[in-house]
């Protein structure tokens, strides 16, 4: 390998600063919009894929933590939200304050410095408090306020997180109101007008109590994405159910099989007929890794060829699923040597690189070294495409890998 190119990470995360909603919503909402309070942690569990924290009262003990409070939701910041800078053995399920996290988690200048340490040029960041596709606002009782909160987040993302101080190195990723596909389409178009080319979506909407992609419910949203070149970005856990095997399975079980939701979701999309109806639509799977993709494509083609007459797809899936994948689907990885050894069965053009900063799985500050070790057998031009070239094309970045709209943020 001649040299390892500067990374464009398509899956990092922002921990929202405490003032995102208090600063952007009228004062009449300050008591009801998301806000941060400091309180004690009474208890917290994460088993069977379910996260369950309980805030302590005045007389309770337990560690102090910063909590996001919104309607009935009390959600503490945790070490799993921001683990970089700690050894693996120090990363435990514990509640923390902003002072206990690496500042690059929430501060743009500090983030850019940490990206420099990690050979990262640009990064696309998923949310934390809103959750990976805005489930927090979807589950809210007051959807009118939820829509205001969602738009405020998008404005903060575009104008501050990805604004002039980021100098094009932060790539905006916005949210939609999942409860209304027409409103979702309008929000896609609003943000596309200011240069946004990626939007969060759920890997398995029915897990959120929403219609599946096999219905026509999502068509206005998908049409807006198709028209504007907006990529549908799905992160593991964006269906609010991490894969697990039982209610008492330890988190290590779910962590091993995190790719499973991506696998199920991709089959859904390939058998939905949406790619024939929306020919410019692109979807990507963040943090799902890629090693599982070859078998699923092989199996999907066999099912389509042998069983489409009775399988309910003969009239809407008009080409082999593997062909649809090649034109519409992108897998993202940060540590997957098996997938890279089988790259010919996936397609170099369909693979993106990520660092997952600041989560516990992150390869920071060794993402370059990890990539070099795993991609050493590949041609230099293939490494260039995986590490940055595919992201530049998919997200409509400048040839130098920067977001085009940063000066207008």
């Amino acid at each position: 390998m001649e040299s390892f190119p500067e990374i464009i990470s398509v899956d990092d995360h922002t921990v929202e600063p405490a003032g995102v909603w208090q600063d952007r919503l009228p004062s009449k909402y300050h008591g009801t919009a998301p806000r941060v309070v400091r309180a004690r942690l009474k208890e917290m569990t994460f088993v069977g894929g379910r996260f369950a924290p309980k805030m302590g009262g005045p007389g309770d003990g337990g560690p102090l933590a910063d909590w996001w409070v919104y309607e009935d939701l009390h959600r503490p910041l945790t070490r799993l939200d921001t683990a970089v800078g700690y050894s693996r053995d120090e990363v435990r399920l514990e509640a923390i304050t902003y002072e206990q996290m690496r500042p690059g988690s929430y501060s743009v200048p500090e983030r850019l410095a940490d990206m420099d340490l990690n050979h990262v040029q640009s990064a696309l960041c998923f949310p934390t408090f809103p959750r990976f596709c805005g489930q927090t606002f979807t589950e809210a009782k007051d959807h009118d306020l939820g829509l205001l909160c969602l738009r405020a987040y998008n404005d903060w993302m575009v104008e501050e997180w990805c604004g002039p101080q980021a100098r094009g190195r932060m790539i905006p990723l916005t949210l939609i109101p999942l409860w209304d596909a027409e409103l979702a389409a309008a929000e896609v178009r609003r943000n596309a007008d200011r240069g946004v080319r990626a939007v969060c979506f759920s890997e398995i909407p029915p897990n959120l109590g929403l219609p599946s992609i096999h219905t026509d419910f999502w068509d206005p949203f998908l049409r807006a994405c198709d028209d504007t070149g907006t990529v549908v970005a799905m992160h593991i856990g964006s269906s609010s159910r991490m894969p697990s095997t039982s209610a008492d399975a330890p988190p290590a079980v779910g962590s091993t099989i995190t790719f499973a939701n991506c696998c199920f979701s991709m089959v859904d999309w390939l058998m939905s007929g949406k790619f024939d109806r929306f020919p410019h639509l692109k979807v990507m799977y963040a943090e799902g890794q890629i090693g599982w993709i070859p078998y699923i494509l092989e199996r999907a083609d066999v099912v389509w060829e042998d069983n489409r007459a009775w399988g309910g797809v003969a009239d809407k899936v008009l080409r082999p699923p593997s062909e649809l994948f090649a034109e519409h689907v992108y897998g993202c990885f940060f540590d997957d040597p098996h997938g890279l050894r089988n790259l010919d069965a996936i397609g170099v053009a369909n693979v993106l690189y990520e660092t997952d900063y600041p989560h516990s799985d992150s390869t920071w500050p060794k993402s370059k070294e990890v990539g070099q070790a795993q991609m050493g057998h590949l041609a230099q031009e293939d490494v260039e495409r995986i590490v940055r070239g595919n992201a530049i094309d998919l997200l409509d970045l400048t040839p130098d890998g920067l977001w085009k709209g940063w000066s207008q943020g």
Side-chain angles (χ1 to χ4, degrees):
M1 188 181 300
E2 298 169 16
S3 62
F4 198 77
E6 272 198 297
I7 298 164
I8 297 178
S9 175
V10 296
D11 170 33
D12 286 355
H13 300 265
T14 176
V15 177
E16 299 80 20
V20 168
W21 289 277
Q22 299 295 302
D23 294 344
R24 289 188 169 269
L25 293 178
S27 59
K28 68 178 182 179
Y29 295 115
H30 285 183
T32 52
R35 56 207 179 277
V36 172
V37 301
R38 185 159 292 185
R40 302 223 173 247
L41 174 71
K42 187 174 182 179
E43 64 178 272
M44 181 164 58
T45 59
F46 186 27
V47 294
R50 298 288 184 175
F51 177 53
K54 290 185 180 179
M55 180 187 286
D60 291 318
L64 279 173
D66 284 334
W67 295 72
W68 281 103
V69 176
Y70 175 52
E71 293 192 340
D72 297 331
L73 177 64
H74 297 78
R75 198 276 196 198
L77 297 175
T78 76
R79 178 57 61 211
L80 300 187
D81 294 327
T82 172
V84 291
Y86 288 78
S87 72
R88 298 295 187 188
D89 290 336
E90 292 177 305
V91 179
R92 301 181 178 90
L93 182 62
E94 60 182 351
I96 61 172
T97 66
Y98 278 95
E99 289 80 8
Q100 292 172 291
M101 68 175 69
R102 193 170 181 88
S105 302
Y106 57 85
S107 164
V108 172
E110 298 282 356
R111 174 62 66 91
L112 297 181
D114 278 354
M115 289 163 62
D116 290 340
L117 289 174
N118 199 33
H119 199 65
V120 174
Q121 179 193 26
S122 306
L124 181 85
C125 293
F126 284 83
T128 296
F129 171 72
R131 311 219 301 276
F132 294 145
C133 65
Q135 301 103 298
T136 297
F137 302 123
T138 300
E139 294 168 1
K141 298 173 185 175
D142 185 346
H143 274 171
D144 291 334
L145 176 57
L147 182 60
L148 293 176
C149 290
L150 185 148
R151 287 175 172 166
Y153 174 88
N154 289 342
D155 292 344
W156 169 80
M157 167 62 65
V158 172
E159 297 165 8
E160 294 190 39
W161 188 252
C162 301
Q165 66 175 335
R167 304 188 303 279
R169 297 181 63 186
M170 307 308 297
I171 306 164
L173 174 64
T174 53
L175 301 172
I176 56 167
L178 293 165
W179 59 89
D180 187 315
E182 293 287 355
L183 287 176
E187 190 63 12
V188 167
R189 296 183 192 279
R190 181 176 84 94
N191 291 309
D193 286 344
R194 46 186 179 172
V196 177
R197 292 294 178 265
V199 63
C200 299
F201 191 64
S202 174
E203 60 204 355
I204 308 175
N207 284 355
L208 304 179
L210 298 168
S212 80
I213 61 164
H214 300 290
T215 70
D216 60 5
F217 175 86
W218 299 106
D219 285 5
F221 161 66
L222 298 179
R223 186 172 298 108
C225 293
D226 189 67
D227 290 344
T228 61
T230 299
V231 179
V232 177
M234 293 170 283
H235 194 285
I236 59 166
S238 56
S239 59
S240 295
R241 293 187 196 175
M242 292 299 288
S244 190
T245 55
S246 64
D248 58 352
V253 172
S255 185
T256 302
I257 57 174
T258 51
F259 71 91
N261 280 358
C262 296
C263 174
F264 299 158
S265 175
M266 190 179 80
V267 175
D268 245 0
W269 280 92
L270 293 176
M271 298 299 186
S272 70
K274 298 301 184 186
F275 294 137
D276 285 300
R277 296 188 57 206
F278 302 104
H280 306 294
L281 190 64
K282 309 286 187 183
V283 305
M284 58 167 269
Y285 288 99
E287 207 172 323
Q289 312 303 334
I290 59 174
W292 53 272
I293 291 176
Y295 171 74
I296 293 300
L297 292 180
E298 183 178 74
R299 176 61 184 164
D301 278 358
V302 169
V303 169
W304 180 82
E305 184 67 37
D306 295 349
N307 301 332
R308 63 178 179 265
W310 64 264
V313 296
D315 60 342
K316 61 181 181 180
V317 181
L318 307 181
R319 291 181 291 154
S322 60
E323 290 186 16
L324 298 175
F325 173 89
E327 294 179 14
H328 299 276
V329 184
Y330 294 78
C332 311
F333 79 100
F334 56 80
D335 186 6
D336 192 344
H338 175 76
L340 290 168
R341 288 195 298 270
N342 292 277
L343 194 58
D344 58 335
I346 302 169
V348 173
N350 298 84
V351 175
L352 306 167
Y353 198 43
E354 59 190 26
T355 78
D356 198 29
Y357 180 106
H359 284 183
S360 60
D361 275 335
S362 179
T363 51
W364 184 93
K366 301 290 186 182
S367 299
K368 174 184 176 181
E369 290 78 3
V370 170
Q372 286 176 317
Q374 297 186 7
M375 299 184 217
H377 65 290
L378 299 178
Q380 183 70 24
E381 63 184 281
D382 291 342
V383 176
E384 288 277 349
R385 293 184 72 180
I386 292 168
V387 174
R388 58 184 291 111
N390 290 338
I392 289 173
D393 294 341
L394 180 65
L395 299 170
D396 190 29
L397 306 179
T398 70
D400 294 330
L402 302 175
W403 177 48
K404 294 177 181 178
W406 69 270
S407 61
Q408 305 170 32

